[in-house]
Amino acid sequence: TFLIEPGARTKAYRRWLRPIADVRSFNGESIYASIVSYHLGQLTIARSRSIAAHYVRTNEIAEEGKLKDFTLVRLLLRGELTARFGDAIVQLKEGDIYVSDLAHSSEVWAQDCAHVNILVPTGSLPDTGVQLHGRVLHNDWLVCRMFKEHLVNFIDTLVFVN
């Protein structure tokens, strides 16, 4: 989507999100969003922005979707959000990284956010016995800050490679 003109990126964002979640606006307002994505083999990495929105991944979307065998790792570059993963509700702030196993349902309430998104096949991740769905790495943890710097530098480099 790097070559898509900025005015068409909202449509690209909705198309990218369709198999991931149902996007709903707050207060009936129009949703403005944009995305630039890169495909590297089975890995998709993207930079996205959106105004306030409610993202709902129902059990039906999870079971029927073509992405049910993928995991979405998201770095919150800007903004704040609240997310529900199963029974757990988490608050996230700028710099936090969170993981959503797309075989499960979830909800996200985002306020004017920007993300780096990595869509990776779940089968390519090591089986450590730890549930990844809903896992949060907080920005005040060193490992999170190191991973964040790597992700930002990596996606910034892709702009020049594409």
Side-chain angles (χ1 to χ4, degrees):
T1 57
F2 178 72
L3 300 176
I4 296 175
E5 64 184 72
R9 290 184 182 162
T10 295
K11 193 180 273 187
Y13 183 78
R14 283 190 177 274
R15 194 169 42 249
W16 193 81
L17 269 176
R18 190 172 298 128
I20 296 174
D22 178 26
V23 183
R24 303 171 184 171
S25 67
F26 289 146
N27 303 324
E29 297 176 13
S30 297
I31 295 177
Y32 169 78
S34 68
I35 190 164
V36 176
S37 62
Y38 306 90
H39 301 279
L40 306 166
Q42 291 186 311
L43 179 77
T44 300
I45 186 166
R47 184 184 298 258
S48 62
R49 278 186 72 184
S50 70
I51 62 167
H54 180 199
Y55 303 87
V56 181
R57 181 165 182 81
T58 62
N59 287 329
E60 293 78 22
I61 293 172
E63 292 167 6
E64 298 170 7
K66 66 179 183 178
L67 296 177
K68 64 184 174 190
D69 297 325
F70 284 80
T71 296
L72 182 61
V73 179
R74 303 189 82 193
L75 161 61
L76 185 58
L77 292 172
R78 189 187 75 225
E80 296 179 348
L81 61 85
T82 302
R84 182 191 57 79
F85 301 99
D87 293 332
I89 295 178
V90 294
Q91 301 289 325
L92 295 118
K93 61 184 187 297
E94 190 173 305
D96 290 347
I97 296 171
Y98 59 105
V99 180
S100 181
D101 181 340
L102 297 180
H104 302 283
S105 63
S106 61
E107 283 187 82
V108 173
W109 295 266
Q111 300 290 330
D112 192 23
C113 291
H115 285 91
V116 171
N117 310 276
I118 304 170
L119 190 60
V120 59
T122 303
S124 69
L125 299 171
D127 184 6
T128 62
V130 175
Q131 167 133 353
L132 292 177
H133 188 60
R135 175 77 51 191
V136 176
L137 299 176
H138 295 285
N139 188 45
D140 54 351
W141 299 351
L142 177 60
V143 69
C144 180
R145 291 192 308 272
M146 292 170 61
F147 189 32
K148 176 179 86 171
E149 288 303 315
H150 177 72
L151 291 176
V152 170
N153 290 331
F154 183 60
I155 199 161
D156 286 347
T157 302
L158 290 175
V159 171
F160 300 106
V161 174
N162 195 17

